[in-house]
Amino acid sequence: AVVSTQSTGYNHVSADPAIFDITVEDPSENFTRLRNFVDTVKCSNLAAFAPDKLKLGFSQAMADEARERYKITAIQSRKMYEILRLRATDTSCPEAHKAYRLDVKRRLNKAFQKEKKAMARQRARLTEEELKALDATKTPEQQHEFLERSFLELETEYRKVIERMAAFVEF
């Protein structure tokens, strides 16, 4: 019933050409899970998200089609891509799973790269002690561990969406 209500709301808003995309300020975890499910089901029916296109990587065409048809933001459409790509990936094949994992980790690593650039600008204003403390908190090993943990958490959440899709939607 909740999925139907959210889908009805999306369908109503999607028909309005004056609305560019749908964003949610500070959504709860349950709302995020529900939205991921609904949006993934919707994107799974779009040509840009066809299984043969998923293995080529996330594209602007995916973001554009999701936004035009369903008012899904580019950030959200990237998540839908990752979920659908996981569904299309043979995770028993080490090479295929590694390619998927690296694709997701590249996205996760972008936050580190932005932070690194910002910190490089700030370093000139820090004292020697502050620099030492800063350098000790972000070792490459810690960054790698964080990326691996983040990836595993995402993969677990994505698998739950895929399981729900299999239970509630015929493909």
Side-chain angles (χ1 to χ4, degrees):
V2 174
V3 171
S4 177
T5 302
Q6 186 175 20
S7 291
T8 301
Y10 277 160
N11 292 339
H12 175 72
V13 172
S14 294
D16 188 339
I19 296 175
F20 185 74
D21 62 27
I22 302 169
T23 59
V24 179
E25 293 289 327
D26 196 27
S28 69
E29 285 185 31
N30 287 333
F31 180 86
T32 299
R33 285 188 193 105
L34 177 62
R35 182 180 190 187
N36 287 347
F37 172 76
V38 170
D39 289 351
T40 302
V41 169
K42 289 178 177 294
C43 287
S44 71
N45 296 312
L46 298 176
F49 289 85
D52 59 318
K53 294 181 180 175
L54 294 170
K55 291 187 172 91
L56 301 175
F58 184 69
S59 68
Q60 189 60 48
M62 291 175 182
D64 291 344
E65 190 173 4
R67 188 190 71 250
E68 290 166 11
R69 282 286 299 277
Y70 300 119
K71 312 295 184 184
I72 296 172
T73 66
I75 293 170
Q76 182 70 0
S77 63
R78 171 67 195 217
K79 286 183 195 176
M80 303 311 93
Y81 153 77
E82 289 175 359
I83 293 168
L84 292 170
R85 180 164 177 193
L86 176 60
R87 188 178 88 177
T89 298
D90 178 3
T91 55
S92 66
C93 173
E95 296 83 19
H97 192 242
K98 180 180 180 178
Y100 170 76
R101 187 180 74 245
L102 291 175
D103 186 36
V104 173
K105 283 185 175 182
R106 271 192 292 279
R107 177 185 60 83
L108 293 172
N109 194 44
K110 285 181 183 178
F112 279 112
Q113 298 309 315
K114 287 180 184 177
E115 182 181 338
K116 190 183 281 186
K117 287 179 183 178
M119 290 310 297
R121 291 188 297 267
Q122 296 292 329
R123 287 180 96 65
R125 296 182 223 158
L126 298 176
T127 67
E128 190 174 323
E129 292 166 347
E130 292 170 329
L131 285 171
K132 285 180 185 176
L134 179 66
D135 290 341
T137 61
K138 293 288 183 184
T139 66
E141 293 81 20
Q142 289 171 322
Q143 182 176 340
H144 179 75
E145 288 173 16
F146 174 80
L147 287 173
E148 185 64 22
R149 246 188 346 269
S150 296
F151 169 77
L152 292 173
E153 289 171 8
L154 277 178
E155 188 176 38
T156 299
E157 283 299 313
Y158 290 174
R159 286 185 188 282
K160 289 177 185 176
V161 172
I162 293 166
E163 289 169 11
R164 287 182 193 113
M165 289 175 71
F168 294 108
V169 180
E170 289 187 26
F171 289 98

